[in-house]
Amino acid sequence: MDRSNRTSNVVSFILLGLSAHPKLEKMFFVLILLMYLVILLGNGVLILVTILDSRLHTPMYFFLGNLSFLDICYTTSSVPLILDSFLTLRKTISFSACAVQMFLSFAMGATECVLLGMMAFDRYVAICNPLRYPVVMSRATYVPMAVGSWAAGITNSVVQTSQAMRLPFCGDNIINHFTCEILAVLKLACADISINVISMVVSNTIFLSIPVLFISFSYVFIIATILRIPSAEGRKKAFSTCSAHLTVVVVFYGTILFMYGKPKSKDPLGADKQDLSDKLISLFYGVVTPMLNPIIYSLRNKDVKAAVRDLLHEKHLTK
């Protein structure tokens, strides 16, 4: 019988995770749990200070608050599942729960790509057209920009997830991953996935390539403008306003390029190591990057550090 003519009878999936490396599971459980707590605390504090501190009621910190909320949502969509997989012998997830997890992680990832591009535009206007900044980046502009980022990411996720989960899954239900990662799920479909592949190529072009180009061109103009500033102190001050965003961009896109740009092993023995390497890199992308974002912004931004200090000081006085 033609595989594409069979109906889907898979009601749940089995997540392999690190099943082949049980010694690593205990170590990574503690490590990932600690990182997740840092993500919740760090990003939670950033959201709090951007809301409570009037000095941070600007477009840049509004976007930063959105980025922190996005990182919490992104990790919460996958980390509890990963932690549970380290403790459970049979790591199963229902078909519907798999679809929800895939949708959330895809939506948050795509939204972050667009949001980082919006933040680059904000820095471009602030550095290259400072006199027009209050007019160009008014509340009527930056709020729709953030809403548009979320809407674009969610729409893309609806399209990709619905296409993937409509495919028939006729037998093999073992996902060689920690979570319902879309590429790992597509490998299990017993039907032609060429439409899904084309759709993902288009999606990656829109949500990865275009934002990277936009950010790159923005920083070409930003750096050129900074270099024209006559005083060294002025150049340093101008660059400090965008250094945190640039660092986050390099970490975020650098990890993605490393994940998907490295060559695949053709040796069967090397393939097992490749699978383990791919999983650990994916874990880095999904956990370490959201953990670094609040640390980077806290360390490289005087306003955020001052706001956090004031918040801690107020709490100390109320005790």
Side-chain angles (χ1 to χ4, degrees):
M1 185 184 293
D2 191 324
R3 294 177 78 199
S4 62
N5 289 331
R6 288 183 285 178
T7 57
S8 177
N9 56 14
V10 170
V11 294
S12 65
F13 293 102
I14 298 172
L15 300 169
L16 280 187
L18 291 175
S19 300
H21 308 273
K23 291 182 180 179
L24 289 177
E25 287 187 315
K26 294 178 182 178
M27 180 184 72
F28 273 98
F29 174 82
V30 176
L31 190 62
I32 299 304
L33 177 60
L34 290 175
M35 288 181 176
Y36 183 50
L37 293 176
V38 171
I39 289 167
L40 295 179
L41 178 63
N43 286 290
V45 168
L46 271 181
I47 293 170
L48 198 60
V49 296
T50 55
I51 293 172
L52 297 180
D53 197 311
S54 59
R55 292 171 297 181
L56 304 184
H57 292 174
T58 64
M60 181 174 75
Y61 296 110
F62 177 77
F63 288 130
L64 178 57
N66 273 264
L67 183 65
S68 294
F69 179 68
L70 187 152
D71 282 338
I72 290 175
C73 293
Y74 179 75
T75 50
T76 302
S77 72
S78 58
V79 171
L81 183 63
I82 294 170
L83 292 174
D84 180 64
S85 74
F86 290 147
L87 299 177
T88 310
L89 290 176
R90 188 171 177 81
K91 307 161 181 66
T92 59
I93 181 171
S94 68
F95 189 88
S96 57
C98 184
V100 171
Q101 191 273 317
M102 183 191 295
F103 165 78
L104 289 174
S105 60
F106 217 99
M108 298 305 107
T111 301
E112 182 156 357
C113 290
V114 181
L115 193 61
L116 288 173
M118 299 297 182
M119 293 173 78
F121 177 75
D122 172 73
R123 292 300 82 207
Y124 163 76
V125 178
I127 300 294
C128 301
N129 294 284
L131 297 178
R132 297 190 61 209
Y133 183 77
V135 177
V136 175
M137 294 302 296
S138 65
R139 186 176 179 84
T141 302
Y142 68 78
V143 171
M145 284 170 67
V147 172
S149 300
W150 284 92
I154 290 170
T155 301
N156 177 60
S157 187
V158 168
V159 172
Q160 300 300 329
T161 304
S162 61
Q163 285 182 338
M165 303 314 281
R166 277 207 303 263
L167 291 169
F169 299 91
C170 316
D172 190 4
N173 67 336
I174 299 174
I175 299 175
N176 189 19
H177 212 277
F178 295 108
T179 61
C180 290
E181 200 268 338
I182 190 166
L183 295 177
V185 173
L186 288 177
K187 290 178 182 178
L188 305 181
C190 50
D192 181 19
I193 62 169
S194 57
I195 297 298
N196 301 77
V197 172
I198 293 170
S199 179
M200 286 194 66
V201 169
V202 173
S203 171
N204 289 340
T205 301
I206 294 172
F207 288 91
L208 287 176
S209 303
I210 293 177
V212 166
L213 287 173
F214 183 79
I215 292 168
S216 299
F217 280 119
S218 296
Y219 272 98
V220 167
F221 288 109
I222 288 170
I223 293 170
T225 302
I226 290 174
L227 291 176
R228 287 198 298 269
I229 297 175
S231 69
E233 185 63 29
R235 289 194 297 271
K236 182 180 177 182
K237 185 178 179 181
F239 186 73
S240 68
T241 65
C242 55
S243 59
H245 173 259
L246 185 59
T247 305
V248 168
V249 167
V250 170
V251 171
F252 181 77
Y253 286 106
T255 309
I256 293 176
L257 293 174
F258 183 76
M259 281 174 62
Y260 296 107
K262 59 190 180 68
K264 302 295 181 183
S265 173
K266 295 181 181 179
D267 176 23
L269 295 176
D272 292 336
K273 293 180 180 178
Q274 181 89 49
D275 286 340
L276 178 61
S277 173
D278 288 345
K279 290 176 186 177
L280 295 181
I281 293 169
S282 174
L283 207 57
F284 174 88
Y285 169 71
V287 181
V288 178
T289 304
M291 183 186 72
L292 289 177
N293 288 351
I295 295 173
I296 291 168
Y297 272 100
S298 297
L299 292 177
R300 302 186 68 89
N301 192 294
K302 291 186 293 185
D303 292 336
V304 172
K305 283 192 284 189
V308 172
R309 276 199 307 268
D310 291 348
L311 181 64
L312 294 175
H313 183 63
E314 287 177 11
K315 281 195 171 184
H316 178 70
L317 292 176
T318 56
K319 285 185 179 180

